[in-house]
Amino acid sequence: MRLGPRHPWLGAAGFRLALPLLERFYRRRRIYNVTSAFARERIAAIKAKIARGKPAYLAGVSAAGTHNSGVALVEVTQSRGPRLILNNEEERFSANKHTNEYPKLSIEAMQATLAAMGLSIDCIDGWFSAWDYPAFGATLIRTLLEEMPASFSMVRGEATPLFNLRDLDRGTRASRHIGRQLGTDAPVALIGTPHHDNHAWYSFSVSPFAHSERPVMVAVLDGLGDRGAITLYVCEHGRMRQLYSNDSVFDSLGIFYAVISSTQGGWTWLSSEGRYMGATAYGNGDRKSNPYYAALKPIFQLLPEGRIALNRDLANWPRDIMHQPYTAELTRILGEPIGLKDMWNPDAVLRVEDIQHSANTQERLDKAAATQMVFEDALRHVIDHFIRTTGSDRLVLTGGIGLNALGNMRLLEHFDESFYRRELKQQTRLHLWVPPVPNDAGVTIGAAYMGAYLAGYGTGAPCEHAFYCDAPPAEADIRTALKASPDVESIELVAATEDAARAMLADFMAYLTSQDAIFALYQGAAETGPRALGHRSILANPCNPKTRENLNARVKYREAIRPLAPMMTLEAAKQFFELSEGASDADYNAYNYMVLTAHAKPDARTRIPSVVHADGTGRLQIVRENTDPLTYAYLKALGRRIGVEVAVNTSFNVAGPIAQTPAQALDTLRRSKGLDAVLMFSHEGPVFVALHGGTVQSGDNRFRKWLEAWQAETGKRIEL
């Protein structure tokens, strides 16, 4: 068994030689690291401005050609610290999911937001990059040298999420691109902040643990950062201290899960991981009887001090990640990997509905379950040592791994009261928090928060919601989009400017749900991150056992393997699910963002079957009245209409990014023939209903009948 690279000394030498050269290269392009003289001077100026009682505006940007490019804007004041104003994801504007394009449209939208605030782009006091470009480049050079000559196959220039040299080339020009877009004569100076530091500090700063008197553990695990894939920190007294970095690209839980889920599930990276996690519920989740777990388990060696090492006799991806990711031995265990040319091929994609007529589907599902269990073993090993080293009972988990909601639940189950009592002689248990954007959609926020931290004002208000992607839809923009869409029917409803009108509209939405309507709610600023949380959501009846099948097949056109998430009030969550005391901080805030699953109580399968997954869990979202009054009122109305304060909630998209603009919302309606309506709430108040027009009559006819019936029942009129 070979652990670690073939030529570690060569890789280390290459890193040491490349880093100073790359630092000089980037400095000439106005991209500086945080230890540079320029960065120290700029941060000192920001600190002095805040100390004078003036607000500072910091922008975080991901523009290096890596996935999830975008820009965030943070206001920092002496009294409040950092406050997030926006986090614009480029994919939402370009409609290119996980895009690595330069974030031109995101920056344009930020300029519009600043203008609405009476500010110009000149007010930005510092631009902070979400990547330390020189370190990232030197790490890739080190990685190539470690497995040479076999690893040189990865220098083919092909577009991949992690290793596209053209991406790095675009990163060298980011400063110049921003300057040109803003109309300046010179490049805009960027301060590159370490990728994992960004994840860590933002996630801690807005967590319920930010003001804890005891040390708080922060674990960053993802595909890779600038230097490695696992970094551990301790935060206390407003400061962050790094304890460990694995300084390895391929000793990575993120890459492991991406490679296996794509080559066994048939979807490409960044789209495969969540689907594969859903598939695990249908497989054999018993470590003793799963037919693949024991053979796959040695792909990671669990080493002393919480370290993990990839077995390179099984995994070939350190040498040829795209074309030959398996060794012969791994092929013997899992079978031939699905190749790039067959990704998304309907005949290759894993489909749970094939269980009845495909002999190998159950085998594939068991492989998914084995992959999840191996992943959980390694994650638990890392966190176990972390807990023993720090003695802490507070953990912030972030990085792309934080999206594995099932693994998060398993951590809470393992590190319970009995663990702490038995192993640490403490009367406590693990408390866990995961931010709403643990993946790279959040590092733009993290970069700006790192700027505030470096200036001495790092801790802000706790996170309560995720509605920060661009501005709320304007009435004029909705009207313009509807006017430009003759194939879409529309109805104008009363304005949602008063509590009474909002309550009527919420009750009407609940009535629609009681009639098994499936409709989209389009309101306010969009959610940032890969989850719809009530502002760009498709909603449906959780009590109808056919809802999941209907929604997946007729509305989203996606695999039946995908679960549906429950959106609910806190009271309903407690009624139907076993909420962990380890997620109870800040009134169960950890369940607000669909990043944590919970076991359903026995009554849930009968009462809300469409949101209980095959393994008896649900990926919860608890809605609060103070953060989303309309959706909260809708859930309360559902309690009166269908007997449960629970709705099916899935993202308002069809095979692409979540709908951002009014035009994108209407386009999503066109592509989803099973969607009955889109309710569009403008920022100014007027509400519009968009319906299928032309030859698609079912949504139009059904909706109008529902509207008439509700108005007749209630004696209230909401149609203008």
Side-chain angles (χ1 to χ4, degrees):
M1 180 185 300
R2 180 162 71 85
L3 306 180
R6 186 175 299 278
H7 309 297
W9 59 272
L10 184 59
F15 182 92
R16 288 194 302 271
L17 289 171
L19 185 59
L21 295 175
L22 288 170
E23 287 176 343
R24 286 198 293 272
F25 173 79
Y26 279 103
R27 275 199 304 271
R28 290 198 295 269
R29 286 155 179 77
R30 303 287 311 275
I31 299 175
Y32 305 89
N33 64 29
V34 292
T35 61
S36 66
F38 173 86
R40 290 196 300 271
E41 292 172 4
R42 179 60 56 90
I43 291 166
I46 293 169
K47 183 175 184 178
K49 182 178 181 180
I50 298 170
R52 293 195 302 270
K54 295 183 177 181
Y57 293 92
L58 310 180
V61 62
S62 181
T66 54
H67 64 87
N68 291 100
S69 59
V71 65
L73 181 65
V74 168
E75 178 189 69
V76 190
T77 60
Q78 192 174 35
S79 59
R80 294 188 304 187
R83 178 179 70 91
L84 181 61
I85 296 173
L86 60 83
N87 182 44
N88 291 345
E89 299 175 48
E90 187 68 11
E91 71 163 37
R92 302 294 184 84
F93 302 92
S94 69
N96 181 11
K97 199 166 187 178
H98 302 301
T99 186
N100 55 17
E101 302 164 294
Y102 168 74
K104 178 178 183 294
L105 300 175
S106 297
I107 293 175
E108 285 179 1
M110 181 176 72
Q111 289 178 284
T113 297
L114 284 169
M117 296 168 61
L119 301 170
S120 72
I121 202 75
D122 296 334
C123 78
I124 295 178
D125 298 284
W127 288 79
F128 294 85
S129 167
W131 290 84
D132 180 343
Y133 296 150
F136 185 41
T139 294
L140 294 186
I141 290 171
R142 181 190 71 199
T143 302
L144 291 172
L145 293 175
E146 284 176 341
E147 291 289 343
M148 67 174 294
S151 57
F152 287 166
S153 64
M154 291 189 286
V155 196
R156 295 172 178 170
E158 296 164 295
T160 73
L162 301 178
F163 297 105
N164 184 356
L165 296 184
R166 296 190 188 96
D167 291 350
L168 296 182
D169 178 56
R170 288 211 302 275
T172 68
R173 294 172 284 162
S175 181
R176 186 175 65 191
H177 286 323
I178 295 172
R180 285 178 176 173
Q181 182 173 352
L182 303 184
T184 63
D185 294 331
V188 168
L190 294 179
I191 298 173
T193 55
H195 188 72
H196 280 190
D197 287 6
N198 299 334
H199 276 304
W201 181 256
Y202 161 69
S203 301
F204 165 75
S205 174
V206 300
S207 77
F209 312 143
H211 298 284
S212 172
E213 294 182 359
R214 299 186 60 190
V216 176
M217 301 174 288
V218 183
V220 182
L221 297 96
D222 57 8
L224 81 164
D226 328 273
R227 294 175 182 262
I230 300 174
T231 311
L232 307 178
Y233 305 83
V234 168
C235 293
E236 53 186 330
H237 309 304
R239 306 300 297 174
M240 180 170 68
R241 176 167 53 96
Q242 184 185 119
L243 293 186
Y244 168 74
S245 174
N246 73 342
D247 292 331
S248 170
V249 167
F250 288 116
D251 295 331
S252 164
L253 290 180
I255 291 182
F256 161 73
Y257 212 96
V259 171
I260 301 298
S261 61
S262 61
T263 56
Q264 290 295 316
W267 311 280
T268 49
W269 295 6
L270 304 178
S271 295
S272 61
E273 296 89 336
R275 288 172 166 85
Y276 211 57
M277 182 180 68
T280 66
Y282 298 91
N284 182 340
D286 187 330
R287 285 172 171 79
K288 294 181 180 178
S289 60
N290 183 290
Y292 301 97
Y293 169 74
L296 185 61
K297 184 178 180 180
I299 200 163
F300 278 115
Q301 286 297 295
L302 309 184
L303 304 175
E305 300 181 333
R307 294 178 292 120
I308 63 171
L310 185 70
N311 179 353
R312 302 192 186 206
D313 285 338
L314 279 179
N316 198 54
W317 49 84
R319 295 173 286 277
D320 193 352
I321 195 166
M322 299 308 295
H323 297 280
Q324 194 176 350
Y326 290 14
T327 62
E329 180 60 16
L330 187 57
T331 300
R332 186 188 67 78
I333 296 169
L334 294 178
E336 289 287 343
I338 297 170
L340 281 175
K341 63 181 178 59
D342 290 321
M343 295 293 176
W344 297 102
N345 184 330
D347 293 329
V349 165
L350 175 58
R351 296 179 179 274
V352 70
E353 58 267 37
D354 289 343
I355 287 177
Q356 301 303 320
H357 57 82
S358 177
N360 71 343
T361 297
Q362 188 60 57
E363 295 175 4
R364 296 179 71 183
L365 294 168
D366 290 344
K367 292 173 187 176
T371 301
Q372 177 72 21
M373 289 187 287
V374 169
F375 165 86
E376 290 173 5
D377 290 348
L379 177 61
R380 189 171 63 195
H381 178 72
V382 172
I383 301 305
D384 182 282
H385 180 73
F386 200 7
I387 291 172
R388 294 174 190 275
T389 299
T390 62
S392 176
D393 62 351
R394 296 291 188 270
L395 171 66
V396 176
L397 180 64
T398 188
I401 294 305
L403 293 177
N404 194 302
L406 187 59
N408 298 343
M409 181 183 73
R410 300 294 187 212
L411 288 178
L412 286 175
E413 291 176 341
H414 182 77
F415 298 109
D416 60 1
E417 291 88 349
S418 63
F419 170 86
Y420 272 85
R421 186 168 54 249
R422 182 180 66 253
E423 302 296 334
L424 280 81
K425 311 301 184 226
Q426 295 183 21
Q427 296 300 314
T428 186
R429 59 156 301 128
L430 182 67
H431 289 251
L432 175 69
W433 195 77
V434 180
V437 277
N439 67 331
D440 277 9
V443 289
T444 44
I445 310 173
Y449 266 72
M450 271 302 295
Y453 171 72
L454 294 168
Y457 296 91
T459 305
C463 180
E464 293 188 322
H465 61 81
F467 308 129
Y468 292 108
C469 192
D470 200 27
E475 176 187 353
D477 292 339
I478 294 176
R479 290 188 185 277
T480 298
L482 290 169
K483 187 176 181 180
S485 304
D487 59 324
V488 173
E489 302 285 342
S490 65
I491 304 171
E492 186 170 347
L493 305 181
V494 297
T497 51
E498 305 292 337
D499 290 343
R502 188 181 301 116
M504 283 195 303
L505 290 164
D507 185 66
F508 175 58
M509 290 161 55
Y511 175 82
L512 291 175
T513 302
S514 72
Q515 302 302 305
D516 287 322
I518 299 176
F519 63 93
L521 179 57
Y522 177 84
Q523 61 147 340
E527 300 88 345
T528 183
R531 301 284 184 261
L533 301 171
H535 280 203
R536 298 294 186 276
S537 290
I538 293 175
L539 305 174
N541 188 349
C543 303
N544 185 344
K546 294 287 187 182
T547 295
R548 186 172 67 87
E549 178 184 340
N550 292 338
L551 207 153
N552 281 338
R554 297 178 50 246
V555 177
K556 299 277 284 191
Y557 310 125
R558 65 182 194 175
E559 307 87 351
I561 210 166
R562 306 281 294 277
L564 295 176
M567 164 195 280
M568 57 185 63
T569 62
L570 177 59
E571 294 76 14
K574 291 179 176 179
Q575 178 184 358
F576 291 115
F577 289 90
E578 301 286 353
L579 303 187
S580 171
E581 284 303 305
S584 64
D585 297 84
D587 202 21
Y588 293 95
N589 176 281
Y591 290 109
N592 285 5
Y593 314 109
M594 292 190 195
V595 292
L596 185 59
T597 57
H599 291 287
K601 294 181 178 180
D603 194 35
R605 280 198 180 276
T606 303
R607 300 281 303 280
I608 50 172
S610 284
V611 291
V612 179
H613 198 28
D615 59 356
T617 67
R619 193 184 67 197
L620 275 59
Q621 180 208 350
I622 295 175
V623 177
R624 315 294 174 152
E625 184 176 15
N626 64 310
T627 60
D628 191 350
L630 174 64
T631 304
Y632 182 83
Y634 161 66
L635 292 172
K636 298 299 287 185
L638 281 177
R640 299 187 294 270
R641 289 281 181 183
I642 63 175
V644 296
E645 295 176 352
V646 183
V648 168
N649 175 24
T650 187
S651 55
F652 182 27
N653 66 336
V654 177
I658 295 172
Q660 178 74 22
T661 66
Q664 289 173 348
L666 298 183
D667 184 57
T668 304
L669 172 67
R670 290 186 187 94
R671 290 185 287 118
S672 180
K673 301 305 182 185
L675 191 62
D676 288 305
V678 180
L679 274 65
M680 308 176 78
F681 286 71
S682 70
H683 179 60
E684 296 84 353
V687 179
F688 305 86
V689 179
L691 307 166
H692 291 288
T695 58
V696 183
Q697 295 297 321
S698 60
D700 182 16
N701 290 340
R702 283 156 49 105
F703 185 88
R704 290 186 183 278
K705 290 177 181 177
W706 290 324
L707 178 58
E708 292 168 4
W710 179 86
Q711 292 183 147
E713 176 200 307
T714 62
K716 299 175 180 178
R717 186 170 182 82
I718 57 173
E719 181 182 4
L720 293 183

